Amino acid sequence: MKNIGTVSYGVKAPIIRPGDDLVEITVDSVMKAVKEAKIKLKDRDIVAVTEAIVAKSQGNFATVDDIASDVRSKMGEGTIGVIFPILSRNRFSNILKAIARGCDNLVIQLSYPFDEVGNPLVSIEKLYELGITSFDKVFTDEKFYKLVGKIEHPFTGIDYIDAYKKICGDKCKVILSNDPTTILKYTKKVISADIHSRFRNKNLLLKKGAKKVITLDEILSKPVNGSGYNEKYGVLGSNLSTDEKLKLFPRDTQVFVDKLQKRFKEECGVNIECMVYGDGAFKDPVGGIWELADPVVSPAYTSGLNGTPNEIKLKFVADNQIANLTGKEAEKAMKEIISKKSKDLKNQNISLGTTPRRITDLLGSLADLTSGSGDKGTPIVLITGYFNNYADE
């Protein structure tokens, strides 16, 4: 029996520039790593590549002025409302700058006490101390400051109300409300800046009388003035590149992973599963921040990564079916149960407590945690043994 299960390796890569052949760079980087670590690649090992370097190799960038031009063409003149943007300089500051340039006046509606992914304006505990236990009131920013005092993100120290107002200048007004229709008191033209609830909120606003509603995936869904774009996600999943430029979510990612899988087969003769990953889908237990600010964890992956895990719960089996066995007898019995498990364990007690998530979401989270978001320099992740189980010899 093998004594090592799943292993995740961060693989270093060169600094990626637009026009680089990322398929060849990825294969070369992984092959150097496996040689250095004396790893033997096997069928169903996994190579995950972060969306950032895929987009960079494609040159998928856009300027603030490109976005502003698209906003102006889609929204026209007058006051625009922006609802439920996340509180992030990296994710939203340049988008907000562009929206402000592309409109005459702007009303930003923030949710409270935290944004869609859990970034807090103020701690929920503080609001409870102030006697606010339901969050159905509407505040101006002035009234909110008077109520809660200082506003400071627990990790970055940023006051996002102040930061967003400074980005927009005099043309901006900020309100706080968790009801998406509050914005309609100020304007009938709205950009729904949320990520995972955008379709629901867009439909609601239109039903309640909005005249024009677009979502962030509709901005730069086509190139503007020769800019980058993303036909499916627009500026969703974008990141700040410079003060005047954004890196967009990558395009044609399925083409990339299919080419990568084929190239690994040619290089080492094994069927490597490949995927592009962005943010992992996990929640920070201290700050309460849900990591997933990208529209999806994985925009593309090879077919062997479809589906959800089909696993039995070893603890459950050990405490029930083989509770009277120990040592080698218990090991043998467990292996036999695993080898004979059903192909579909849904709603069966034997799978009680296993993780009901898509394989790509689990792998993307593992890859994101392995590569990190700072200076590790490992935008490629090799995962071995992921599909092995206790019964494998």
Side-chain angles (χ1 to χ4, degrees):
M1 176 180 163
K2 296 175 181 177
N3 293 302
I4 297 175
T6 302
V7 181
S8 177
Y9 301 89
V11 177
K12 291 183 178 180
I15 303 300
I16 305 301
R17 299 299 187 193
D20 285 350
D21 187 339
L22 191 59
V23 169
E24 289 303 319
I25 289 172
T26 301
V27 172
D28 181 63
S29 299
V30 170
M31 296 311 295
K32 286 177 180 177
V34 299
K35 182 178 180 182
E36 179 181 308
K38 298 181 173 57
I39 302 165
K40 184 178 180 181
L41 293 175
K42 296 180 175 62
D43 286 343
R44 301 202 81 191
D45 283 344
I46 300 149
V47 170
V49 182
T50 181
E51 59 82 20
I53 63 171
V54 180
K56 284 185 177 181
S57 70
Q58 295 172 343
N60 202 21
F61 294 88
T63 68
V64 170
D65 284 338
D66 294 331
I67 300 168
S69 176
D70 204 26
V71 168
R72 177 69 75 173
S73 70
K74 287 182 166 71
M75 301 303 288
E77 298 179 349
T79 298
I80 293 174
V82 174
I83 67 164
F84 302 156
I86 64 172
L87 306 176
S88 170
R89 291 167 296 169
N90 177 41
R91 292 289 190 170
F92 197 69
S93 62
N94 270 0
I95 296 174
L96 181 59
K97 187 185 296 183
I99 293 170
R101 282 186 197 174
C103 72
D104 299 319
N105 292 289
L106 184 61
V107 179
I108 304 172
Q109 179 178 324
L110 301 177
S111 57
Y112 73 94
F114 34 69
D115 69 7
E116 179 184 6
V117 296
N119 288 296
L121 274 172
V122 62
S123 75
I124 194 169
E125 288 80 10
K126 185 170 185 178
L127 291 183
Y128 267 67
E129 289 172 6
L130 293 169
I132 301 173
T133 56
S134 63
F135 310 118
D136 55 357
K137 292 183 179 179
V138 177
F139 296 97
T140 63
D141 58 333
E142 294 89 352
K143 286 183 179 178
F144 198 69
Y145 277 121
K146 286 179 181 179
L147 176 70
V148 304
K150 187 177 181 182
I151 292 174
E152 186 177 282
H153 190 281
F155 292 147
T156 65
I158 299 295
D159 176 343
Y160 276 100
I161 293 178
D162 180 63
Y164 281 3
K165 287 183 76 171
K166 284 179 177 175
I167 288 171
C168 300
D170 294 338
K171 63 171 64 177
C172 174
K173 177 182 182 67
V174 173
I175 61 171
L176 295 95
S177 172
N178 293 315
D179 179 355
T181 65
T182 300
I183 197 69
L184 299 178
K185 296 176 182 177
Y186 299 85
T187 177
K188 304 296 184 185
K189 299 165 72 172
V190 184
I191 297 175
S192 191
D194 46 332
I195 304 163
H196 306 290
S197 55
R198 62 190 187 276
F199 300 119
R200 180 174 70 247
N201 285 329
K202 178 178 180 177
N203 289 335
L204 177 61
L205 287 165
L206 290 170
K207 286 179 181 178
K208 293 296 184 178
K211 294 189 175 171
K212 178 72 177 178
V213 183
I214 65 170
T215 51
L216 293 185
D217 53 301
E218 297 177 79
I219 299 172
L220 284 193
S221 57
K222 295 179 180 179
V224 173
N225 303 321
S227 73
Y229 67 98
N230 190 297
E231 65 280 359
K232 186 173 183 180
Y233 296 118
V235 295
L236 280 178
S238 62
N239 300 86
L240 185 146
S241 177
T242 72
D243 286 344
E244 288 291 322
K245 188 165 69 171
L246 280 163
K247 177 203 67 64
L248 303 177
F249 216 50
R251 307 188 308 268
D252 304 321
T253 47
Q254 192 61 50
V255 173
F256 170 76
V257 295
D258 290 340
K259 283 183 178 179
L260 187 58
Q261 184 179 56
K262 181 180 179 182
R263 187 66 189 85
F264 270 117
K265 184 73 171 179
E266 294 169 350
E267 183 70 23
C268 54
V270 297
N271 188 46
I272 302 293
E273 301 294 347
C274 302
M275 66 182 292
V276 174
Y277 69 96
D279 282 340
F282 50 85
K283 187 173 182 178
D284 176 73
V286 176
I289 298 169
W290 183 39
E291 176 68 11
L292 189 56
D294 284 325
V296 290
V297 172
S298 176
Y301 45 87
T302 49
S303 59
L305 300 180
N306 272 315
T308 58
N310 187 59
E311 301 171 338
I312 69 168
K313 186 72 171 181
L314 261 67
K315 177 179 176 295
F316 182 87
V317 173
D319 292 347
N320 289 274
Q321 285 96 318
I322 62 170
N324 60 331
L325 301 178
T326 59
K328 292 293 183 182
E329 287 185 341
E331 183 181 307
K332 181 180 178 181
M334 183 69 79
K335 289 181 181 180
E336 186 174 354
I337 291 170
I338 293 171
S339 65
K340 293 180 178 179
K341 69 183 178 182
S342 167
K343 292 183 179 179
D344 186 359
L345 295 171
K346 286 181 181 178
N347 297 322
Q348 296 187 33
N349 283 341
I350 200 170
S351 67
L352 186 67
T354 56
T355 306
R357 290 171 60 189
R358 292 185 300 179
I359 290 168
T360 51
D361 291 339
L362 292 162
L363 287 169
S365 299
L366 173 60
D368 189 28
L369 288 166
T370 300
S371 62
S373 59
D375 58 8
K376 286 184 170 59
T378 55
I380 302 164
V381 178
L382 170 64
I383 302 168
T384 63
Y386 185 80
F387 292 104
N388 294 348
N389 62 42
Y390 190 77
D392 291 327
E393 299 289 348

